[in-house]
Amino acid sequence: MSALACRFCAAPLSATFCNLGLSPLSNAFVKPADVGRREAFYPLHARVCGSCFLVQLEEFEPPEKIFGDYLYFSSYSDSWLAHCETYARMAVERFALGPSSQVVEIASNDGYLLQYFQRAGIPTLGIEPAANVAAVAREKGIATEVCFLGADTARVLAQRGVRADLLAGNNVFAHVPDLNDFTEGLRILLAPDGVLTLEFPHLLKLIEQHQFDTIYHEHFSYFSLFTAVKVLAAHGLCVFDVDELTTHGGSLRLYACHEEVAGPRMTSRPQALIARERAAGLADLAVYAGFDEAVRATKRALLRFLIEAKEQGKQVVGYGAPAKGNTLLNYCGIRTDFIEYVVDRSPHKQGLMLPGTHIPVLSPSMVAETRPDYLLVLPWNLRDEIIEQMKEIRAWGGRFVLPIPSMELVP
């Protein structure tokens, strides 16, 4: 462990935050024909830097392998689309965006966000490393570059005239192993008076609500506000505002710009939130050291429920095949002996099997056909949306199971 170094400040990494054992890549779904083949499992051991307090995973697979052919399509969540449409309206108004502006999104996926700017008549460009996902965006008429962002890529794009008046990155900041190279790319792409927004799960919420399942190999880093501010500041970018969001169990949206134009934009919110983080102990290694036992307690509670349900002859199935669900199931050792199948709205996942556990992924219509007693909601961050979508289970007395932040049964 002593040989590991922080991906931001290069300080030695030795303090454990959460050790979830061995786990497969959370989006490495298995084809039924490949079930007999060996799967790769890697340590899922999150550590925290004692210098900058960045929580992080070691890199075992390059981003090209993880994200080159991706099965996550953002447009299959109604609540996420509503969130993005609201953001687009806000950004257009707040930053006076119009036909002469340029909006660029990093990790633009299937065009889920840029479509709203496009409808407003604002030129857009997506940067998406997964060619299969970028193809879906292009079918919608959204210009998309298939590449990973870094300093070199950004220079090439800037030489072609790409300078973003609004540069958006939703849930991508945590996905880059070379954090400094990526952040320098953001600086280069941002127009002199442009605004950068970054959304990512808030480490404070992860700790408070025992959200260990959001730790998986595709997430290389986990940010507090004060650590994110340090990373951006090291590349000449200043955070001038922050929003606290409910998405993904509690996220932050940072607003940043080049430091030389930050003065008139500064609000008091970043410093107020940083003060709250420090009061909660996020600059104290002892707070991080206590997280492992909270994770074990959450695991025991879920397993107790599943064992009791199966002993009573109850049928339990899962809703959703998100990355976080695969962390939860693999860490807890939950396979088809507990969960007979999961359902997911994405046709790209249906017919496959979950990595590691080999639980089959089926269409949501299977729930009405088999009438299970319990529906374990794996994307618990979308609980309200899913409970509304699947409310039909109440007709036969079915109940929802929410595993995070603690075991909860919802009638």
Side-chain angles (χ1 to χ4, degrees):
M1 288 193 300
S2 59
L4 296 177
C6 174
R7 64 170 34 92
F8 167 56
C9 71
L13 267 185
S14 58
T16 289
F17 175 59
C18 181
N19 189 347
L20 300 175
L22 295 173
S23 189
L25 297 179
S26 61
N27 280 301
F29 287 78
V30 178
K31 296 177 182 178
D34 294 336
V35 166
R37 298 182 180 179
R38 185 173 63 181
E39 281 182 90
F41 281 65
Y42 304 96
L44 195 54
H45 187 169
R47 295 178 171 88
V48 57
C49 175
S51 178
C52 68
F53 295 96
L54 177 67
V55 173
Q56 57 203 281
L57 295 177
E58 187 177 355
E59 180 184 355
F60 291 100
E61 289 285 0
E64 290 78 10
K65 180 169 182 178
I66 295 176
F67 301 110
D69 185 41
Y70 209 40
L71 285 178
Y72 178 73
F73 291 77
S74 298
S75 292
Y76 287 102
S77 169
D78 296 337
S79 60
W80 179 245
L81 290 178
H83 167 79
C84 293
E85 186 173 14
T86 300
Y87 163 82
R89 285 199 303 267
M90 176 279 298
V92 169
E93 180 178 352
R94 180 172 180 179
F95 305 118
L97 302 175
S100 61
S101 306
Q102 185 168 45
V103 176
V104 179
E105 185 186 11
I106 313 302
S108 52
N109 202 263
D110 58 6
Y112 71 100
L113 172 64
L114 291 180
Q115 62 183 334
Y116 299 113
F117 291 100
Q118 189 179 64
R119 291 173 192 174
I122 300 168
T124 64
L125 176 67
I127 298 175
E128 168 56 49
N132 64 315
V133 179
V136 175
R138 287 170 170 168
E139 289 172 3
K140 298 176 182 177
I142 296 170
T144 305
E145 294 279 341
V146 179
C147 61
F148 287 91
L149 180 70
D152 290 342
T153 307
R155 289 188 189 99
V156 171
L157 291 170
Q159 288 169 2
R160 286 170 36 192
V162 178
R163 297 301 296 276
D165 299 294
L166 176 65
L167 182 58
N170 287 342
N171 301 303
V172 63
F173 205 35
H175 286 73
V176 289
D178 194 338
L179 192 56
N180 286 306
D181 182 59
F182 177 81
T183 308
E184 181 63 11
L186 295 176
R187 184 194 68 79
I188 293 168
L189 271 192
L190 189 63
D193 202 38
V195 172
L196 165 69
T197 68
L198 293 172
E199 293 186 22
F200 50 80
H202 190 189
L203 179 61
L204 180 61
K205 294 296 184 184
L206 186 156
I207 293 173
E208 290 177 343
Q209 298 184 17
H210 308 162
Q211 297 169 0
F212 71 89
D213 57 340
T214 60
I215 297 172
Y216 44 89
H217 296 105
E218 291 89 333
H219 278 176
F220 294 103
S221 303
Y222 304 81
F223 293 97
S224 61
L225 175 59
F226 70 81
T227 297
V229 166
K230 286 182 181 179
V231 174
L232 292 168
H235 295 269
L237 297 169
C238 178
V239 174
F240 63 85
D241 201 0
V242 62
D243 292 332
E244 295 183 74
L245 310 171
T246 59
T247 52
H248 296 285
S251 297
L252 298 181
R253 178 189 295 144
L254 308 190
Y255 299 82
C257 61
H258 293 289
E259 59 186 9
E260 58 267 23
V261 296
R265 291 170 163 165
M266 289 299 300
T267 71
S268 61
R269 283 185 285 272
Q271 287 306 313
L273 180 51
I274 287 172
R276 280 173 45 206
E277 289 180 337
R278 292 187 178 279
L282 292 194
D284 182 354
L285 283 178
V287 169
Y288 297 88
F291 186 67
D292 235 0
E293 179 50 39
V295 169
R296 296 189 192 104
T298 302
K299 173 180 179 175
R300 292 192 294 267
L302 177 57
L303 287 175
R304 277 195 298 269
F305 162 76
L306 289 172
I307 291 169
E308 182 177 341
K310 299 305 285 186
E311 288 180 343
Q312 293 174 356
K314 304 293 186 181
Q315 184 187 34
V316 185
V317 304
Y319 185 98
K324 59 167 53 73
N326 290 324
T327 291
L328 177 77
L329 297 173
N330 278 287
Y331 172 63
C332 294
I334 297 168
R335 290 174 171 75
T336 52
D337 51 345
F338 285 119
I339 306 293
E340 297 180 23
Y341 64 84
V342 301
V343 300
D344 197 278
R345 292 177 69 188
S346 172
H348 304 281
K349 296 180 180 179
Q350 293 168 13
L352 301 177
M353 306 179 93
L354 298 183
T357 63
H358 294 180
I359 298 171
V361 184
L362 307 176
S363 164
S365 63
M366 281 298 297
V367 173
E369 292 182 28
T370 61
R371 298 165 67 94
D373 300 287
Y374 296 105
L375 192 62
L376 175 65
V377 179
L378 295 172
W380 46 261
N381 53 299
L382 302 175
R383 58 176 288 167
D384 293 340
E385 176 183 340
I386 292 167
I387 288 173
E388 176 61 25
Q389 287 175 3
M390 303 302 295
K391 60 186 177 183
E392 63 180 335
I393 73 170
R394 293 175 174 140
W396 59 81
R399 304 175 74 182
F400 299 94
V401 183
L402 283 304
I404 304 289
S406 58
M407 265 293 305
E408 180 184 0
L409 292 178
V410 178

